[in-house]
Amino acid sequence: MKMEEVSMSSLDNSKLEALAQDILSDLVEDACLGLCFEVHRAVKQGYFFLDDTDQESMRDFEIVDEPGLDVFGQVYNQWKNKECVCPNCSRSIAASRFAPHLEKCLGMGRNSSRIANRRIVTGNNTNNKSESDQEDNDDVNDNDWSYGAEKKAKKRKSDKVIVINLFSYNKG
Amino acid sequence: MFPRFTFNITHITGALTPWCRFTVFAVFFPSDLNTMNKEARLKATINQKLTETGERERLKELLRAKLTECGWKDQMKAQCKEVIKEKGLEHVTVEDLVVEITPKGRALVPDSVKKELLQRIRAFLTQHAS
């Protein structure tokens, strides 16, 4: 039996289609049988009904699908409008902005020293009033051991500023 | 699977002795036989190719994945639960399940899944045409 004897071109499309349908029905039957075997084994081994719970607890934990609530039925933006009082500067801050504010206020986060140094260099170019307030707070909250280092840093930065200015004069 | 064909039944005339009785189911003309054989051979070859190249396994996996995705499996499991409740948990057999579930399963396969599988099968057939 060679393939050349049975050429597909000799068959028309309907026969091809019938063949494809046959193959599909074979595959579907396989899938059904597989499912039957799986279910039968689950029944005989005793784990078929394991994932069912009684109706009452099903109703208790049903997924909530209402606007303004999450899937557990809790209000999820409840804390958006609440305000907290900062223990440091005694200002009233919005809850979602509280953690970053505290970071800068106490001078303990990663960014707070960077921002402080940057502000020293740029001087008056502050974005808003609150930031300049925090600068004062930063200075107040510096520890003794780091104050010296910042002083040196300040000196070097101011030297740099002078040098750069000289450069620009020369060019001009 | 016997291919679907119409065939002509003709009478057999011959020397019949009175005590000779035989039953004729059907008589096939040679041309019919030829076509039938050809198609049966083609089908066998295609099935062989499907298995050899691993395409049949891939198609099976694809079908299973699609059926689970579209919820057919869960539907069928619910049907199985009905059958089990009917026949009793202890006494249900594979045969019971197969007999009840297979026709429903065949009917409930969504058209999109069927179309996609058919596409792949057709592509395979045209690719492996001699």
Side-chain angles (χ1 to χ4, degrees):
Chain A
M1 180 166 68
K2 299 181 193 117
M3 266 300 263
E4 294 84 57
E5 288 177 17
V6 280
S7 135
M8 303 274 281
S9 50
S10 64
L11 296 172
D12 50 58
N13 263 341
S14 66
K15 298 243 168 82
L16 221 68
E17 194 59 33
L19 192 58
Q21 290 283 351
D22 272 343
I23 296 174
L24 179 68
S25 66
D26 276 344
L27 286 170
V28 168
E29 185 156 343
D30 251 348
C32 290
L33 265 180
L35 181 74
C36 287
F37 280 126
E38 200 182 304
V39 167
H40 182 257
R41 183 169 200 272
V43 165
K44 293 302 176 189
Q45 296 283 319
Y47 61 84
F48 187 60
F49 287 112
L50 266 183
D51 51 357
D52 285 345
T53 45
D54 58 320
Q55 273 296 91
E56 214 178 283
S57 41
M58 294 266 278
R59 256 182 286 136
D60 277 343
F61 299 115
E62 223 173 303
I63 292 179
V64 177
D65 189 17
E66 283 166 50
L69 297 178
D70 64 10
V71 286
F72 297 114
Q74 300 164 355
V75 187
Y76 65 93
N77 53 2
Q78 212 175 16
W79 312 107
K80 236 203 261 182
N81 306 323
K82 301 250 159 136
E83 296 204 332
C84 324
V85 177
C86 175
N88 213 27
C89 54
S90 308
R91 289 201 303 164
S92 171
I93 313 285
S96 46
R97 298 299 309 157
F98 188 55
H101 160 81
L102 205 60
E103 199 183 16
K104 296 195 178 65
C105 197
L106 293 173
M108 278 172 55
R110 270 194 304 169
N111 293 323
S112 57
S113 57
R114 260 185 256 154
I115 293 173
N117 282 333
R118 195 166 25 104
R119 259 190 251 111
I120 288 161
V121 172
T122 55
N124 287 331
N125 292 344
T126 50
N127 287 333
N128 49 20
K129 244 186 145 185
S130 62
E131 275 192 332
S132 60
D133 284 343
Q134 284 173 26
E135 191 185 16
D136 295 333
N137 285 330
D138 273 343
D139 285 343
V140 165
N141 287 319
D142 279 344
N143 294 325
D144 283 341
W145 66 268
S146 65
Y147 183 67
E150 274 197 73
K151 232 185 167 179
K152 286 182 196 164
K154 276 186 206 173
K155 257 200 203 165
R156 276 190 232 117
K157 287 275 166 80
S158 50
D159 284 341
K160 272 191 193 165
V161 168
I162 293 170
V163 168
I164 289 167
N165 282 337
L166 285 172
F167 255 68
S168 59
Y169 278 133
N170 279 340
K171 277 188 182 171
Chain B
M1 291 280 159
F2 210 64
R4 295 174 283 266
F5 273 105
T6 55
F7 43 80
N8 302 316
I9 305 180
T10 58
H11 302 294
I12 292 184
T13 55
L16 295 175
T17 48
W19 57 84
C20 186
R21 288 168 63 197
F22 55 89
T23 322
V24 180
F25 285 144
V27 174
F28 302 106
F29 281 120
S31 60
D32 283 343
L33 261 174
N34 197 15
T35 328
M36 268 165 52
N37 269 344
K38 218 165 150 188
E39 290 206 18
R41 272 184 287 155
L42 174 66
K43 188 148 187 220
T45 320
I46 284 290
N47 281 330
Q48 191 186 355
K49 276 245 155 184
L50 267 174
T51 320
E52 270 173 14
T53 57
E55 186 67 15
R56 172 161 269 151
E57 285 303 315
R58 279 192 287 269
L59 286 171
K60 265 197 216 174
E61 282 311 311
L62 178 68
L63 180 63
R64 235 166 248 169
K66 292 252 155 224
L67 287 175
T68 316
E69 216 176 79
C70 70
W72 175 92
K73 194 170 177 188
D74 296 323
Q75 265 180 304
M76 286 290 107
K77 273 202 173 164
Q79 294 283 337
C80 290
K81 276 189 198 161
E82 301 294 312
V83 175
I84 292 166
K85 288 195 181 120
E86 196 187 327
K87 304 272 175 175
L89 192 68
E90 293 299 320
H91 305 294
V92 68
T93 63
V94 183
E95 275 308 308
D96 289 336
L97 284 172
V98 167
V99 158
E100 303 277 336
I101 293 301
T102 309
K104 288 186 197 150
R106 266 193 228 257
L108 281 175
V109 177
D111 282 330
S112 55
V113 175
K114 274 195 209 163
K115 275 200 187 116
E116 186 161 346
L117 260 284
L118 276 174
Q119 237 175 354
R120 272 193 69 155
I121 296 170
R122 273 187 228 122
F124 180 82
L125 290 177
T126 51
Q127 189 191 357
H128 288 249
S130 49

